[in-house]
């Protein structure tokens, strides 16, 4: 039986979890440490921790808050933000991460994916792709969605998988925080292009959005969301119960 993963996302700025809409208008939510404790106990299959301004501010990810967060998580933890070198991989993994997410760092230096996969294994390297439609074309954005790279997204994702990215997080900027459902068109294009796990991010507004995602796109491995979990709009236990009723089964 192929099981699906439900993954809350902690977007962290200045040591606090924040959330916005279309990657803008960020508002304070909570402590990442407290949220990590909560989600670890609430049935989340994995957890993602993004230091969302590290790349834009040209600094390294804050490892002190990450270390404290990791100490309170007993499920797989993926960490990203300001990952530009193999030493960044080493530092984040040493702080308690299980997988490392790269975005802007890979755009600047695509060989980083190959080098990291060679040293740590494909399963450790996660490509996080921030994608937005520009004149009807899927384009890759860098620096937390602030900078249009001009690259076509599907070809970029395919290239990164060929270099060793073992998992893809597809962040749809168009649907981020809007709560109108996942970007099924974008996700379908990615699933058709690669044969590694694909995580859908951006757009979840209710339980039915996850049901629609997994029924419409069986190739999607996981659904990632933030605000609906942070603000208690959807409880993970309720979500998994409804998924099971729809013959969609989660990890635990």
């Amino acid at each position: 039986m192929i099981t699906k993963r439900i993954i809350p996302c902690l977007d962290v700025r200045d040591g606090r979890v924040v959330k916005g809409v279309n990657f803008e208008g960020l508002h304070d939510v909570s402590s990442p440490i407290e949220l990590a404790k909560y989600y670890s106990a609430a049935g989340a299959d994995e957890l993602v921790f993004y230091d969302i301004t590290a790349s834009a501010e040209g600094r390294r990810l804050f490892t002190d808050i990450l270390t404290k967060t990791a100490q309170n998580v007993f499920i797989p933890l993926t960490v990203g933000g300001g990952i530009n070198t193999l030493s960044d991989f080493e530092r984040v993994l040493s702080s308690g991460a299980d997988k490392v997410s790269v975005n802007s760092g890979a755009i600047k230096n695509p060989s980083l994916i190959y080098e990291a996969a060679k040293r740590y294994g494909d399963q450790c390297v996660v490509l996080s792709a921030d994608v937005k439609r520009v004149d009807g074309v899927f384009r890759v954005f860098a620096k937390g969605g602030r900078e249009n790279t001009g690259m076509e997204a599907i070809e970029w994702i395919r290239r990164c998988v060929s270099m060793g990215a073992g998992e893809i997080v597809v962040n749809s900027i168009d649907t981020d925080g809007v709560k109108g459902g996942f970007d099924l068109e974008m996700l379908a294009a990615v699933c058709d292009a690669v044969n590694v796990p694909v995580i859908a991010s951006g757009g979840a507004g209710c339980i039915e959005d996850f049901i629609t995602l997994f029924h419409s796109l069986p190739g999607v491995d996981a659904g990632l969301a933030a605000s609906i979990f942070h603000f208690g709009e959807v409880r993970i236990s309720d979500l998994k119960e409804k998924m099971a009723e729809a013959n969609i089964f989660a990890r635990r």
Side-chain angles (χ1 to χ4, degrees):
M1 182 190 301
I2 298 174
T3 56
K4 305 301 184 182
R5 290 173 285 158
I6 300 301
I7 307 175
C9 179
L10 309 181
D11 291 325
V12 180
R13 181 183 66 179
D14 299 328
R16 298 284 294 178
V17 176
V18 295
K19 193 69 189 84
V21 176
N22 302 129
F23 282 33
E24 297 179 347
L26 300 176
H27 299 286
D28 184 84
V29 176
S30 183
S31 154
I33 299 167
E34 294 306 313
L35 275 182
K37 287 181 185 177
Y38 169 74
Y39 288 129
S40 189
D45 298 295
E46 298 188 13
L47 192 64
V48 169
F49 177 114
Y50 288 139
D51 186 336
I52 59 172
T53 56
S55 292
E57 295 172 1
R59 60 169 172 77
R60 300 195 306 176
L61 184 145
F62 292 128
T63 49
D64 54 346
I65 194 75
L66 168 59
T67 300
K68 293 174 184 176
T69 301
Q71 289 170 348
N72 289 281
V73 174
F74 303 100
I75 51 179
L77 175 65
T78 298
V79 176
I83 306 297
N84 296 297
T85 64
L86 283 182
S87 64
D88 290 329
F89 266 80
E90 183 65 36
R91 191 164 49 84
V92 168
L93 291 169
S94 297
S95 297
D98 299 286
K99 294 182 278 190
V100 181
S101 176
V102 290
N103 186 341
S104 297
I107 292 168
K108 287 185 290 186
N109 175 25
S111 65
L112 175 62
I113 290 175
Y114 172 78
E115 293 165 1
K118 187 176 179 181
R119 178 173 295 186
Y120 301 108
D122 294 8
Q123 78 288 341
C124 185
V125 183
V126 179
L127 174 71
S128 178
D130 295 338
V131 184
K132 184 178 182 179
R133 291 167 180 80
V134 179
D135 297 326
V137 178
F138 295 134
R139 297 293 184 190
V140 178
F141 278 66
K143 297 182 179 178
R146 294 170 179 81
E147 180 181 291
N148 183 357
T149 67
M151 292 192 297
E152 196 278 322
I154 305 305
E155 185 52 42
W156 165 245
I157 291 169
R158 187 184 287 116
R159 179 185 174 194
C160 291
V161 169
S162 72
M163 290 188 292
E167 190 168 80
I168 309 297
V169 177
V170 182
N171 306 302
S172 172
I173 298 175
D174 294 321
T175 61
D176 175 70
V178 177
K179 299 182 182 179
F182 289 97
D183 197 325
L184 300 180
E185 180 191 23
M186 184 183 294
L187 291 161
V190 174
C191 288
D192 288 344
V194 299
N195 59 357
V196 299
V198 173
I199 299 172
S201 172
C206 62
I207 287 176
E208 190 58 39
D209 289 335
F210 288 88
I211 306 295
T212 300
L213 169 70
F214 294 129
H215 273 164
S216 302
L217 298 173
V220 169
D221 289 79
L224 181 150
S227 57
I228 62 167
F229 296 143
H230 297 343
F231 300 123
E233 296 166 41
V234 171
R235 292 176 57 197
I236 293 174
S237 58
D238 294 339
L239 170 56
K240 290 190 173 182
E241 183 178 325
K242 291 296 184 183
M243 284 170 57
E245 290 174 4
N247 292 314
I248 302 166
F249 299 97
R251 283 278 178 93
R252 65 183 187 130

